[in-house]
Amino acid sequence: MIAQRVPSIMPPPTTDEALEILSVQSIAAADLASNNVTFGARPVRSPHHTISDVGLLGGGTIPGPGEVSLAHHGVLFLDELPEFKRSALEVLRQPLEDGAVTISRSAGKITLPCSFMLVAAMNPCPCGYLGDAQHTCRCTPTQVQRYRSRISGPLLDRIDLHVEAPAVSVSELRHAAPGESSAIMRNRIITARSRQHQRFGTGAITCNARMGHREVRQVCAIDRELGDLLERAMSQLSLSARAYDRILKVARTIADLAGAESIAAPHLLEAIQYRSLDRGNAL
């Protein structure tokens, strides 16, 4: 449900982004017609877990775009993430890092853009009841570890937010107070994205997620106290150097959403808590 609503809170694509979306989609003309892609709409792709490496990354006898490129400037949703083939998941690592994929075949070599938002869902364990107050989990710790190990550490490093979504009771569904609407969320996100556009100017970087190591040091500067806090968290959670930069990017985005000029302790702590799945620390 969350994945279906992510596009409704994303800011509309700029004119340049919309043209890039149509350019990639037009390469797969049949796919363009079947999915009713329209100018000004962000694509949402949801491939089945049986998809091949070529279907996900792109390729074929005549190189063409895969799901990662067809989701350019949009959302790529992978449901039941551990059920995907390990090789298919591993090919996502470089596109997530670079925002582009190069396909080489005897017929030619092409480079396609693939700057997308990856949204993935998985159960906490094979039976799905780990941590559920209403049902007893039937899985052993070894089975849970084996299930989660299908997702490699390097891939988890590249996923910024790990959010647990516990089961909601019928009583909570009946008596839940109205939440914040997607329209309000979207306006706040548009404001934060405008702040980022002003920060980066007209260069290649358009949002916090695309910052490199140098930009992170400049834009996400924190004082010594927060630096010590982050260092302790990195040590206790056994996080990687890649996770360090990603925590700072997320903290900067949280600060932007709050309208803050600099990263404060609440922003950093919230960003740290989203690394729960790294290296199996959630077990």
Side-chain angles (χ1 to χ4, degrees), residues 118-219:
L118 174 65
V119 179
M122 61 179 287
N123 288 318
C125 65
C127 77
Y129 291 130
L130 181 65
D132 194 311
Q134 303 296 324
H135 302 85
T136 301
C137 176
R138 304 187 302 271
C139 306
T140 65
T142 301
Q143 289 174 320
V144 176
Q145 180 62 45
R146 186 183 302 118
Y147 176 75
R148 296 190 178 185
S149 65
R150 297 178 187 176
I151 307 170
S152 68
L155 179 59
L156 280 176
D157 273 350
R158 292 168 169 83
I159 300 178
D160 294 334
L161 311 178
H162 309 159
V163 181
E164 293 187 19
V168 180
S169 67
V170 176
S171 176
E172 289 174 315
L173 289 174
R174 289 184 57 199
H175 302 99
E180 190 176 37
S181 69
S182 294
I184 295 176
M185 291 184 190
R186 192 185 199 203
N187 288 334
R188 189 165 67 250
I189 291 170
I190 290 175
T191 300
R193 183 62 66 87
S194 298
R195 185 176 291 111
Q196 294 170 26
H197 285 168
Q198 295 174 1
R199 177 182 300 138
F200 299 119
T202 58
I205 300 174
T206 58
C207 61
N208 292 341
R210 290 299 164 193
M211 285 191 292
H213 185 74
R214 180 181 301 175
E215 289 78 20
V216 169
R217 291 294 173 270
Q218 296 173 349
V219 175

